[in-house]
Amino acid sequence: MSYRMKATKCPTDELSLTNKAIVNVNDFPDDVKYADISPGPGQHYIFALERTAEVPRGHIGFSLVQRKWATLSINQDIDIRPYRFDGHSDVITMVSFETDFLQKKITSQEPYDSDLMAKDFLMQFGGMALTVGQTLVFSFQDKKLLGLAVKTLEAIDPKALGEGKEAATRSVRFGRITGNTIVQFEKAENSSLNLQGKSKGKIVRQSIINPDWDFGKMGIGGLDKEFNAIFRRAFASRVIPPEIIEQLGCKHVKGILLYGPPGTGKTLMARQIGTMLNAREPKIVNGPQILDKYVGESEANIRRLFAEAEEEEKRLGPNSGLHIIIFDEIDAICKQRGSVAGNSGVHDTVVNQLLAKIDGVEQLNNILVIGMTNRRDMIDDALLRPGRLEVQMEISLPNEQGRCQILNIHTKRMRDFNKIAADVDCKELAASTKNFSGAELEGLVRAAQSTAMNRLIKADAKVTVDPEAMEKLKVTRADFFHALENDIKPAFGTAMEVLETMLTRGIINWGQPVSHILEDGMLYVQQARATESSGLVSVLIEGPPNSGKTALAAKLAQMSDFPFVKVCSPEDMVGYTESAKCLHIRKIFDDAYRSMLSCIVVDNVERLLDYGPIGPRYSNLTLQALLVLLKKQPPKGRKLLILVTSSRREVLEEMEMLTAFTSVLHVPNISLPEHVVAVLEDCDIFSKGELQAIGKKMAGKRVFIGIKKLLALIDMIRQTEPQHRAIKFLSKMEEEGGLDMAKH
């Protein structure tokens, strides 16, 4: 039986929320619950019916959403037939809806519990007829109205029931829902709706890790531990499904700070993180690029960096993709607020703007800020707290295993094309390149290549290259060690040249005092190296002027074989102001803390303190800085040996500096004739007979001379005629006050 009726508007908003077709109470028998509506040939839509007296007879009311879906217009004539569902075959077992706010302009981060939504939906629409593609209006707990579009419907398969199998399901075009229907809600594309709970439909998630990424081809050597720590802290939560993260109540890390010496791979690691992630193209910004001469432009530059992420966060909410912003030299724009004297406050406002974007009132959750710096101490503390740049990773100098990895990476292509000789051993090179950074190791490989290429270039009148020899070119072990000796020196390595200058004459073991100092000194070296030690050993080597203290300190530093040895000498700080001197000393100590084993030689400490006996005068600022640094423990796991030389023990005692040292070694002047003879024997300037004669002349006499002064005297005696040397030596010793010819 068919009815001809006219389409009309739904009489009230309350009835439109039922999502049913509204008919007059007298138009259909009470047992007719569904209708097949046909607006045109071949068009059929199944609607549940709702009765009211507010619709005129012969009319059927539809809401705007229903009219759009069924392509109906007001007063359109349509054919209507009563419809009855056939048993169990049309019962919907599962329905999934594409869900969004009814008004598309609405954006909200308020979470919607999909489990409660499913329960509420079944209470409101139990027995409802649904068709794939049908759109519904859903009022959930008096919150904002939601628009639902039927995505898929599944019903019981009658064939499976007939064969006695377990209840199987099949996809259907339409059916009716019951109280047992499983309801799932899937967020519509580009919607900001924040769905939570188990009834949230399975979303095909794009993996955050690039599927083409190969960890073996990272090209990062010696940083496995650091990379694993960054991955654990910053990306593990982004790989786990969001449902689990919701249950944990976990928040993603939004900032990473990579700091450490230049050339250790900070920029390389940040670049690799950007490549590894399946996210937007990273924005790489150098700190100084942000600063602008116009007022407000620097802050605007920061806002522009975050604008794209901000817009996507508003549009998509928690489903927004990840935006990576990499700040190289972040210390240029994020200095401690109030630390830049006499400026316009631009640095401070830039820091404030950055803080507001990362973790302010309107914080963004779809960003990852990676900052890189060599000077972590300059960065504002507020930027380093959890919630901002909370993962702070020191990218330090590589250890031997790391150096081997880096050398293998940089020599891989040479190996692939057979351009490297068989005698090149990366393990041997790694052992010989203590305190080399990654960049310096790369420079070493380049220097070795240039040495190898230079062998084939003839620079006579013209520069000529033998093409056949070029084909056979191979970089050899000798090329690497030539580069190591002549071309590349580590910025944080051993001050070998300075130590060799200090030890130009070597150490002359003229007697037991020297032997005892070297023995005790080596014990302190072993104490500094020992794992059970506190990590800090400071030794004062004191004695009269010219007694050889500097040479002994340099010898102990050389014998320690520590990878980091630096000399802090007053001759490097001539003309420095007090504050500049303190900064220079501080930098030497800061560099030492970066190496596992470090030795600092502080030479002639009273000159460093600007001490003068007339006055007396000294630099209290430098003294206080040294006292702090001499007592400061190095970071955990790092060992530091400090060797300090001084000719003014009594002055250091007055300055209360002696208590800062672990121990004090006294270097005496030469005070016995046999010790002078031992020095003369070592210098090989006199014959045995002359040495015996000099020994007899000096026997029983009082001797007091520094080794340095004695060696200078010997150099002068070398210039005289051989037959007069012994007499000249004795007379000069007496003149210089090193020998008292009176008996004692």
Side-chain angles (χ1 to χ4, degrees), residues 208-402:
I208 192 166
I209 304 298
N210 192 331
D212 300 326
W213 178 253
D214 180 4
F215 281 91
K217 296 178 182 175
M218 280 169 51
I220 300 178
L223 295 175
D224 298 349
K225 183 182 172 186
E226 289 85 351
F227 194 84
N228 288 336
I230 289 172
F231 191 87
R232 173 178 62 84
R233 291 293 313 281
F235 303 120
S237 64
R238 297 180 188 273
V239 174
I240 302 292
E243 297 84 18
I244 307 297
I245 298 302
E246 284 171 19
Q247 292 165 18
L248 290 170
C250 177
K251 287 185 178 178
H252 298 307
V253 164
K254 290 185 283 188
I256 301 171
L257 179 69
L258 305 177
Y259 66 94
T264 49
K266 298 182 295 296
T267 307
L268 174 63
M269 180 171 276
R271 204 182 296 134
Q272 292 290 12
I273 288 170
T275 314
M276 175 190 82
L277 297 179
N278 207 358
R280 307 289 184 282
E281 186 72 23
K283 292 178 182 174
I284 301 176
V285 189
N286 284 323
Q289 288 177 355
I290 294 294
L291 301 176
D292 198 285
K293 65 180 179 179
Y294 296 109
V295 175
E297 271 302 303
S298 300
E299 297 87 323
N301 288 337
I302 293 283
R303 288 195 292 276
R304 287 186 200 107
L305 284 175
F306 291 88
E308 196 178 321
E310 208 164 25
E311 183 273 328
E312 193 172 316
E313 173 94 354
K314 284 180 181 175
R315 186 161 47 86
L316 299 179
N319 301 292
S320 166
L322 181 65
H323 293 254
I324 301 172
I325 301 168
I326 298 172
F327 284 95
D328 204 359
E329 308 300 339
I330 195 171
D331 53 284
I333 58 168
C334 292
K335 289 184 172 69
Q336 291 274 359
R337 284 172 288 184
S339 65
V340 183
N343 82 334
S344 59
V346 171
H347 282 91
D348 294 2
T349 52
V350 168
V351 174
N352 294 340
Q353 185 69 74
L354 191 59
L355 293 175
K357 286 297 177 189
I358 298 175
D359 189 33
V361 177
E362 295 182 359
Q363 62 181 2
L364 297 169
N365 295 308
N366 60 342
I367 55 164
L368 179 66
V369 176
I370 304 175
M372 291 168 287
T373 179
N374 304 327
R375 297 293 306 277
R376 180 175 175 268
D377 55 297
M378 290 176 66
I379 295 176
D380 193 88
D381 292 338
L383 201 62
L384 302 178
R385 72 154 175 80
R388 290 166 184 168
L389 299 183
E390 69 176 273
V391 178
Q392 293 156 36
M393 188 61 59
E394 182 179 6
I395 310 299
S396 55
L397 297 169
N399 57 18
E400 190 170 322
Q401 183 185 352

Side-chain angles (χ1 to χ4, degrees), residues 679-698:
V679 174
L680 295 174
E681 277 182 1
D682 190 270
C683 292
D684 196 22
I685 189 173
F686 298 111
S687 65
K688 282 187 179 181
E690 287 172 321
L691 286 173
Q692 287 172 359
I694 290 170
K696 282 180 183 177
K697 286 275 188 184
M698 294 174 65

Side-chain angles (χ1 to χ4, degrees), residues 498 501-502 567-575 603-604 607-608:
V498 181
T501 305
M502 290 176 167
V567 177
C568 179
S569 173
E571 66 189 40
D572 298 329
M573 291 174 251
V574 174
D603 190 28
N604 210 350
R607 291 286 78 79
L608 209 57

Side-chain angles (χ1 to χ4, degrees), residues 108-276:
S108 171
Q109 298 305 314
E110 184 184 2
Y112 280 69
D113 189 325
S114 58
D115 298 328
L116 291 176
M117 285 169 63
K119 196 179 291 183
D120 201 353
F121 182 87
L122 291 175
M123 287 180 68
Q124 289 185 43
F125 305 116
M128 180 82 138
L130 293 179
T131 307
V132 173
Q134 183 176 352
T135 51
L136 309 172
V137 180
F138 178 34
S139 175
F140 172 58
Q141 293 184 344
D142 297 324
K143 294 187 179 182
K144 298 177 179 72
L145 292 176
L146 301 177
L148 308 180
V150 180
K151 193 173 180 183
T152 58
L153 294 172
E154 288 186 9
I156 294 171
D157 187 354
K159 288 182 180 178
L161 285 174
E163 294 170 5
K165 296 178 182 176
E166 290 184 11
T169 58
R170 60 191 174 97
S171 295
V172 293
R173 182 175 169 269
F174 61 87
R176 60 190 172 92
I177 60 175
T178 67
N180 295 323
T181 301
I182 297 169
V183 181
Q184 287 190 345
F185 299 93
E186 295 180 13
K187 188 182 74 68
E189 190 177 355
N190 295 333
S191 171
S192 63
L193 183 66
N194 183 8
L195 289 175
Q196 295 184 353
K198 295 179 182 176
S199 296
K200 182 171 67 171
K202 296 292 181 188
I203 299 170
V204 179
R205 291 175 59 247
Q206 188 179 30
S207 170
I208 192 166
I209 304 298
N210 192 331
D212 300 326
W213 178 253
D214 180 4
F215 281 91
K217 296 178 182 175
M218 280 169 51
I220 300 178
L223 295 175
D224 298 349
K225 183 182 172 186
E226 289 85 351
F227 194 84
N228 288 336
I230 289 172
F231 191 87
R232 173 178 62 84
R233 291 293 313 281
F235 303 120
S237 64
R238 297 180 188 273
V239 174
I240 302 292
E243 297 84 18
I244 307 297
I245 298 302
E246 284 171 19
Q247 292 165 18
L248 290 170
C250 177
K251 287 185 178 178
H252 298 307
V253 164
K254 290 185 283 188
I256 301 171
L257 179 69
L258 305 177
Y259 66 94
T264 49
K266 298 182 295 296
T267 307
L268 174 63
M269 180 171 276
R271 204 182 296 134
Q272 292 290 12
I273 288 170
T275 314
M276 175 190 82

